[in-house]
Amino acid sequence: MTVVIGFKADKEALMLSDSRASSTNAVEDKLQKILPIKENIALGYAGDVEFASYVANMLRQKLSTITKAGLKGLLSEVQKIALSMYSQRPEPTDFMLGLIANDGEALLYVFRCPEFSPLAIRGFELIGSGSVIKHSLVDAFRDEKTDVDIKEIADKIFTLASSELACQVKDDSVGGMFQIVLLEKAGIRPIKYGYVDVDPDQEPDSKSIEMQKGVWTQYDHTKNHKSTILKPDILLNDYPVNSRFHDYKRDPRKKDPKWHLLHFLTCLAAKKEVGLTEFNGTLSAIAKVDYPVKIEMLVALEYWGSPGTHNLEFTLIKNGNQTVVHKETVESKFIPQTVELLKPLKLSIDKPGPAILQVSINGYVLARRAMYFHQLKSEDVTKPDIGNIVLDSMAQQSDKEMEDNGRTEVVYFAMCQDVEYDSLNLKLIQQSVSFYWEKYPLPLRQKVISSFRMPRGDHQIRLELMDASTREKWEVGNKKITSESSFIATPIVGDFLVEIPKPGIYFLNTVVDEQRLTSILFAAETSEAKWSYTMLDSDKENVKKGELLCLSKEATKDPRNQRKASLV
């Protein structure tokens, strides 16, 4: 069986199908299921391959006659051909017809066995065994805007369809990469797409599909393998051979969501603009003469990971008590976009002592910030070294949970072109999500700044570059650290020259005591972007001439600023 998805939005439409052909002898992920009939007509099918091939071929033969009869004649002819074939070969087969009308509007029709009566599609329609996901697609798009670029809609549909097929299809009837065509005023256009599994702890998985010179080709970038999609009549003449390329059934090892922390700070002020992230008054220790006290501060959080709508909860843990100080629902639409929060918090502290400010996502603990509230004496206020006295007292505290589980925790981790910092301030200059370079390898010079809380004792920290498609690793640097307190963070700054071997998606991992702690995700592109954001023609020419273009992370957050990239 199969799945063919049709979606009609305003004046445009799209068709999407899988690539699997299943028989008693084999499962083959190489069947073309959206067939070109004319430059402005395409036919999708679900069911018997020989049946579908006959209908498509007959439709092509009768095109000159059909064209004169107009839309009504075309729909009638599809029904007539299907009924004729069904009388000779009664195999259940459904069809979906996509076309561009004379006025430029895209139209979709479905023909269901056995009557094959044409039914106009508005919104979603699906045929094949994968139709079980229709209600999920309809529900997900109920409040979505459909008057936007059809390519943007296609991206959302294929992402959601992949996820829903993984959850709902229990057999091998759907597989292979999606074949996606857009029906626009200018004609019918195939689109290329791909994916990379961006969980650094899982096995590599990276695939893509594109059409060149009328032929779809699937690429497995992890295994360095490709597979050509065949037209039905060619596949029918080949002996069936098992050729699985992609399964949608969910891998049970990947069922749990995962998030990767980039920073969790408390501060007095913060500033974010294109090319700059700055935190001022990054406090973790506070000294007061009188308690109880109410303390106002900003909490800054950034992470990336599993998309969706998530419940964030900030909890103050002190003296064995847990107090929820803030709750919020956030939405992460896609990877690799990070989630950034900057929120004012008001903490009620009844008495001095250590505390942990904890943030969790859907019950999963993402980060823990060690804080210390010092008891000042009146005469201490005038002491010039009071800051050191407070920090020395904080260093005597112990994070029992950390000491028991032996896990290091992230305060911040960033890769940027430059950095300025001291004990109370942190300025990150030009954090980039994409680098554009024409001739690889790319010698990329970056500064990496990090801060970790660690259990007492010696620890080995390693930075490594990892190719997301293959999980191949290259060591960038390493350092031995001795932690004297699990309450005091240890900052580390390094200037590294990293050689990026080829275009692709990469992780910069920080590994502590042979355990990956967190990762930064970035793309390495040429002038023709494949994995990340595309460029203006003028930018492409600059890259071709040998310039390195770096796309600022902050620029991707605001569409008005997306062209504010820096040329190096």
Side-chain angles (χ1 to χ4, degrees):
M1 293 296 285
T2 190
V3 65
V4 177
I5 300 173
F7 183 76
K8 174 74 165 69
D10 198 28
K11 299 293 184 180
E12 298 178 318
L14 67 88
M15 297 173 69
L16 176 155
S17 81
D18 73 322
S19 304
R20 177 157 294 177
S22 302
S23 67
T24 55
N25 298 320
V27 172
E28 301 176 280
D29 288 347
K30 55 183 182 181
L31 176 61
Q32 186 170 356
K33 298 183 181 180
I34 301 175
L35 307 175
I37 304 300
K38 195 181 177 184
E39 64 272 9
N40 65 334
I41 303 174
L43 183 69
Y45 64 92
D48 185 70
V49 179
E50 186 174 338
F51 192 138
S53 181
Y54 173 83
V55 172
N57 288 332
M58 289 299 295
L59 204 53
R60 294 188 191 102
Q61 291 178 25
K62 298 188 176 185
L63 267 181
S64 57
T65 306
I66 296 171
T67 304
K68 296 176 183 178
L71 175 60
K72 188 175 180 180
L74 172 62
L75 300 179
S76 175
E77 194 63 36
V78 173
Q79 182 183 23
K80 187 186 301 183
I81 295 171
L83 285 170
S84 173
M85 183 60 177
Y86 190 69
S87 66
Q88 305 170 47
R89 187 180 177 87
E91 296 288 345
T93 306
D94 295 334
F95 294 92
M96 186 178 294
L97 185 74
L99 64 117
I100 310 298
N102 291 334
D103 62 358
E105 181 177 357
L107 303 175
L108 291 178
Y109 294 87
V110 66
F111 302 78
R112 295 191 183 278
C113 179
E115 290 84 8
F116 300 105
S117 300
L119 177 66
I121 298 173
R122 187 73 189 178
F124 278 104
E125 192 55 76
L126 285 76
I127 57 176
S129 59
S131 297
V132 294
I133 70 171
K134 178 180 177 179
H135 293 303
S136 298
L137 295 178
V138 171
D139 289 344
F141 274 76
R142 197 176 304 280
D143 298 322
E144 285 281 345
K145 292 182 179 179
T146 57
D147 57 349
V148 297
D149 179 40
I150 191 67
K151 172 63 168 61
E152 183 179 334
I153 296 174
D155 290 342
K156 293 178 181 178
I157 290 177
F158 109 76
T159 302
L160 182 60
S162 300
S163 175
E164 291 301 325
L165 287 170
C167 294
Q168 298 189 44
V169 175
K170 307 301 181 184
D171 55 25
D172 280 338
S173 61
V174 178
M177 299 293 284
F178 287 139
Q179 303 157 35
I180 308 174
V181 297
L182 307 182
L183 288 81
E184 305 165 303
K185 186 175 183 178
I188 297 177
R189 174 167 64 101
I191 64 171
K192 64 179 181 179
Y193 78 93
Y195 73 87
V196 180
D197 188 314
V198 289
D199 182 347
D201 300 320
Q202 293 290 344
E203 292 297 315
D205 184 16
S206 175
K207 299 185 178 87
S208 65
I209 184 172
E210 65 177 316
M211 177 178 276
Q212 291 183 332
K213 297 180 179 179
V215 178
W216 287 105
T217 304
Q218 304 173 111
Y219 298 91
D220 188 326
H221 302 285
T222 300
K223 298 177 180 178
N224 195 24
H225 165 72
K226 67 179 181 179
S227 172
T228 301
I229 301 293
L230 304 178
K231 291 180 171 61
D233 50 351
I234 297 176
L235 186 73
L236 288 169
N237 290 324
D238 279 356
Y239 185 80
V241 177
N242 273 317
S243 55
R244 288 179 184 270
F245 191 87
H246 181 73
D247 285 310
Y248 290 97
K249 288 191 297 184
R250 184 180 296 276
D251 185 337
R253 296 172 301 173
K254 300 181 181 181
K255 64 181 180 180
D256 295 328
K258 184 179 290 186
W259 299 279
H260 310 272
L261 180 66
L262 297 179
H263 67 243
F264 182 41
L265 296 166
T266 45
C267 59
L268 298 178
K271 178 181 180 181
K272 284 182 178 285
E273 59 185 43
V274 175
L276 176 66
T277 298
E278 185 173 1
F279 303 102
N280 303 116
T282 53
L283 52 88
S284 57
I286 296 171
K288 290 286 186 178
V289 174
D290 298 317
Y291 287 87
V293 64
K294 291 187 182 295
I295 299 173
E296 295 184 5
M297 64 181 68
L298 292 175
V299 60
L301 174 70
E302 183 180 14
Y303 65 91
W304 66 273
S306 301
T309 301
H310 307 126
N311 297 316
L312 284 182
E313 187 171 277
F314 293 81
T315 304
L316 184 68
I317 304 171
K318 191 174 186 300
N319 301 326
N321 299 316
Q322 297 191 14
T323 305
V324 176
V325 294
H326 181 71
K327 286 184 177 182
E328 184 169 344
T329 299
V330 297
E331 183 179 12
S332 172
K333 291 189 175 181
F334 57 87
I335 297 175
Q337 188 178 62
T338 62
V339 176
E340 294 186 66
L341 289 178
L342 187 64
K343 294 290 178 182
L345 281 188
K346 183 178 289 187
L347 303 180
S348 297
I349 307 301
D350 58 347
K351 58 183 178 180
I356 296 291
L357 183 61
Q358 176 178 287
V359 58
S360 59
I361 305 179
N362 297 347
Y364 166 83
V365 176
L366 175 66
R368 300 168 71 250
R369 173 82 163 156
M371 305 193 72
Y372 179 62
F373 301 94
H374 184 74
Q375 176 69 71
L376 273 181
K377 297 177 182 178
S378 299
E379 59 270 22
D380 291 338
V381 177
T382 58
K383 292 181 179 179
D385 60 344
I386 185 59
N388 291 330
I389 293 173
V390 173
L391 290 177
D392 287 344
S393 182
M394 182 177 180
Q396 301 307 310
Q397 311 306 313
S398 178
D399 183 346
K400 186 177 185 305
E401 181 175 329
M402 175 179 285
E403 297 291 357
D404 289 345
N405 62 36
R407 295 175 186 166
T408 295
E409 296 187 358
V410 177
V411 179
Y412 54 80
F413 180 47
M415 180 177 73
C416 50
Q417 287 183 17
D418 203 0
V419 62
E420 298 175 12
Y421 76 104
D422 56 34
S423 60
L424 290 175
N425 302 288
L426 174 64
K427 183 186 289 187
L428 306 173
I429 302 168
Q430 191 62 47
Q431 297 181 84
S432 299
V433 293
S434 301
F435 300 93
Y436 300 85
W437 181 252
E438 196 64 17
K439 294 183 179 180
Y440 282 76
L442 163 62
L444 181 64
R445 184 171 294 280
Q446 291 282 285
K447 287 192 175 179
V448 178
I449 182 166
S450 58
S451 181
F452 309 114
R453 281 196 310 118
M454 303 175 173
R456 286 186 173 90
D458 294 336
H459 303 277
Q460 191 70 38
I461 300 177
R462 183 174 75 252
L463 277 180
E464 62 183 22
L465 180 71
M466 177 188 283
D467 185 330
S469 295
T470 64
R471 298 301 194 262
E472 187 176 0
K473 302 175 185 177
W474 301 270
E475 184 173 304
V476 175
N478 65 78
K479 187 177 183 67
K480 185 177 180 180
I481 295 289
T482 299
S483 171
E484 297 181 353
S485 170
S486 56
F487 243 67
I488 299 292
T490 304
I492 308 170
V493 181
D495 195 347
F496 298 97
L497 181 62
V498 183
E499 184 174 275
I500 311 297
K502 61 182 180 180
I505 300 292
Y506 289 88
F507 303 108
L508 183 67
N509 297 331
T510 179
V511 181
V512 180
D513 300 331
E514 298 306 318
Q515 296 292 318
R516 188 193 66 84
L517 186 59
T518 192
S519 301
I520 294 170
L521 185 69
F522 66 92
E525 299 279 15
T526 64
S527 55
E528 297 298 329
K530 183 176 181 181
W531 305 101
S532 184
Y533 298 88
T534 56
M535 296 183 292
L536 296 175
D537 289 341
S538 57
D539 292 334
K540 291 180 182 180
E541 290 304 314
N542 289 331
V543 171
K544 288 177 181 178
K545 292 175 182 177
E547 292 181 321
L548 170 64
L549 188 144
C550 308
L551 180 62
S552 166
K553 178 171 68 175
E554 293 80 12
T556 66
K557 303 287 184 178
D558 186 347
R560 296 171 300 177
N561 295 329
Q562 285 191 3
R563 300 317 316 163
K564 294 184 180 178
S566 67
L567 283 172
V568 180

